[in-house]
């Protein structure tokens, strides 16, 4: 195809061969093979120059467009492989998205300005479902069911805390609060307690909320108390206070979740690398004392090429 376009434009096998850095017999053979494949003559050879046949004239703009499209496609692939362009989508827990990802995205956009990002905040169950339906490249969430078609790699742990209005009786205590002290107080279910070690101490709840927006509104009205992980607790209203819970002290585990058997795109690899390299510094910068980084580069060596140093214990 390139030989045909070059000869047709230059009206010379010799000039076309020079432009294509091929020998003249090689260009002539390429034209013959193309004509044999399409079943018609495309070029009329004379002693002085080469002219397009009627069929060749009709085919010339089509061939030129196909070559341009082909070259553009290869260029796009090269840009993607070199992380100069591409797209990545991820589903993330709201508390992680609001506290940790703004700085991640800032650094990512500086290093990879040509890659577009689509981010969805969802609960852990929703993140798993989006991954299973191939809606996102990867997720950052909990492990509610531990699906066998997904891979879970531990990223972070944050402490479970009591959240209540500053006028609530439990807010008046200065130190840690035992789970047993929640008995007798109206408990507002954030959906989290089913994942904690102390769920049997809470028992069946009367009020359940699927979003923290409504949950915080009820807490601000001093309607009850709830438990939330530290990252989510720090997004609460100034009218609310948090207290560490003990006997037992409990934590939430946060995982980077990928689909088994699926290869990440270069854009997805770039985003995960940025997340892993950036999170330890963000946790330290924001002084998130109750959040612990729980990974090293060896935990992700089969996903991305990464160097994050030794394990971080908070």
């Amino acid at each position: 195809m390139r030989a045909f376009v070059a000869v047709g434009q230059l009206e010379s096998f010799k000039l076309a061969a020079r432009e294509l850095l091929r020998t003249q017999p090689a260009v002539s053979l390429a034209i013959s093979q193309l004509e044999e494949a399409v079943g018609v003559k495309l070029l009329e050879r004379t002693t002085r120059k080469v002219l397009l046949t009627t069929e060749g004239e009709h085919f010339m703009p089509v061939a030129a467009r196909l070559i341009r499209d082909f070259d553009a496609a290869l260029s796009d692939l090269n840009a993607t492989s070199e992380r100069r362009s591409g797209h990545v989508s991820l589903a993330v827990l709201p508390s992680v998205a609001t506290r940790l990802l703004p700085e991640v995205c800032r650094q990512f956009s500086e290093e990879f300005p040509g890659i577009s990002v689509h981010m969805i905040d969802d609960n852990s169950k929703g993140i798993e479902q989006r991954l299973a339906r191939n809606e996102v490249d990867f997720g950052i969430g909990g492990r509610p069911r531990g699906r066998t078609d997904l891979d879970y790699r531990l990223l972070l742990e944050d402490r479970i805390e009591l959240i209540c209005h500053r006028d609530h009786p439990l807010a008046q205590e200065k130190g840690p609060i035992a789970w047993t002290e929640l008995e007798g107080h109206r408990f507002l279910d954030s959906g989290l307690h089913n994942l904690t070690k102390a769920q049997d101490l809470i028992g069946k709840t009367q009020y359940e909320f699927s979003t923290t927006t409504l949950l915080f509104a009820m807490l601000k009205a001093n309607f009850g108390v709830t438990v939330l992980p530290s990252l989510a607790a720090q997004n609460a209203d100034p009218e609310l206070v948090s207290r560490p819970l003990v006997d037992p002290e409990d934590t939430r585990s946060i995982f980077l979740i990928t689909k088994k058997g699926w290869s990440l795109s270069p854009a997805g690899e770039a985003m995960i690398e940025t997340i892993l390299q950036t999170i330890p510094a963000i946790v330290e910068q924001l002084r998130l004392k109750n959040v612990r980084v729980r990974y090293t580069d060896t935990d992700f060596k089969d996903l991305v090429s990464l160097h994050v140093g030794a394990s971080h214990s908070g």
Side-chain angles (χ1 to χ4, degrees):
M1 193 94 59
R2 292 188 193 277
F4 164 70
V5 171
V7 173
Q9 291 175 342
L10 298 171
E11 298 182 343
S12 167
F13 280 93
K14 182 179 180 180
L15 295 178
R18 184 182 303 168
E19 180 175 285
L20 297 173
L21 302 178
R22 303 283 298 276
T23 64
Q24 189 170 330
V27 172
S28 180
L29 177 61
I31 298 296
S32 298
Q33 290 174 334
L34 178 61
E35 290 177 327
E36 183 179 347
V38 298
V40 294
K41 282 185 67 65
L42 300 173
L43 296 170
E44 192 67 53
R45 299 156 179 84
T46 69
T47 55
R48 305 184 68 178
K49 59 181 178 179
V50 183
L51 300 175
L52 291 168
T53 64
T54 301
E55 291 79 7
E57 289 180 351
H58 292 158
F59 185 58
M60 174 61 77
V62 177
R65 187 185 72 245
L66 289 173
I67 292 172
R68 287 195 304 270
D69 290 347
F70 180 76
D71 288 343
L74 284 183
S75 178
D76 289 344
L77 285 174
N78 288 332
T80 299
S81 67
E82 295 170 4
R83 299 176 176 180
R84 289 182 284 109
S85 68
H87 175 81
V88 59
S89 59
L90 58 155
V92 189
L93 290 171
S95 57
V96 176
T98 55
R99 295 295 293 169
L100 302 180
L101 290 194
E103 177 62 18
V104 169
C105 290
R106 185 187 69 79
Q107 295 198 27
F108 185 80
S109 64
E110 288 180 359
E111 188 171 357
F112 306 103
I115 298 179
S116 61
V117 180
H118 180 212
M119 193 179 304
I120 305 167
D121 62 318
D122 206 339
N123 58 35
S124 293
K125 184 178 180 181
I127 291 170
E128 287 185 333
Q129 291 173 341
R130 291 180 186 277
L131 272 166
R133 295 194 297 261
N134 303 321
E135 294 179 12
V136 294
D137 297 306
F138 66 92
I140 299 178
R143 192 173 185 171
R145 289 183 292 173
R147 296 174 55 124
T148 57
D149 58 336
L150 301 177
D151 274 326
Y152 301 81
R153 300 163 196 253
L154 184 60
L155 280 179
L156 304 165
E157 288 179 348
D158 58 346
R159 189 176 66 187
I160 304 300
E161 302 179 3
L162 169 74
I163 312 296
C164 61
H165 193 274
R166 61 189 179 190
D167 294 333
H168 193 277
L170 291 177
Q172 311 314 309
E173 300 189 27
K174 301 302 181 183
I177 293 177
W179 285 86
T180 53
E181 294 183 59
L182 303 185
E183 187 176 356
H185 297 282
R186 182 183 291 113
F187 187 82
L188 309 179
D189 187 356
S190 64
L192 175 73
H193 77 281
N194 291 324
L195 306 179
T196 68
K197 304 170 187 174
Q199 57 183 341
D200 56 326
L201 298 177
I202 299 174
K204 185 175 176 61
T205 56
Q206 185 179 2
Y207 295 91
E208 183 176 352
F209 304 92
S210 60
T211 66
T212 54
T213 301
L214 185 54
L215 176 65
F216 286 157
M218 302 299 283
L219 292 169
K220 285 177 62 178
N222 204 5
F223 186 68
V225 302
T226 193
V227 296
L228 286 173
S230 178
L231 283 174
Q234 295 188 37
N235 291 325
D237 191 272
E239 293 185 33
L240 306 179
V241 297
S242 64
R243 293 286 183 270
L245 283 162
V246 293
D247 301 329
E249 182 177 296
D250 205 357
T251 59
R252 171 185 65 166
S253 296
I254 300 172
F255 300 85
L256 188 142
I257 312 171
T258 55
K259 194 167 183 181
K260 285 184 178 178
W262 281 65
S263 298
L264 287 167
S265 67
E269 290 180 355
M271 175 57 82
I272 289 179
E273 284 182 13
T274 304
I275 289 171
L276 298 177
Q277 291 169 341
T278 307
I279 280 182
I282 296 174
V283 170
E284 184 176 349
Q285 180 182 359
L286 296 179
R287 298 179 181 178
L288 302 176
K289 297 180 180 179
N290 299 324
V291 179
R292 296 180 178 180
V293 178
R294 294 299 199 191
Y295 62 88
T296 68
D297 53 350
T298 57
D299 297 321
F300 295 89
K301 62 183 179 181
D302 61 325
L303 278 183
V304 295
S305 175
L306 179 71
H307 299 284
V308 295
S311 178
H312 302 267
S313 58

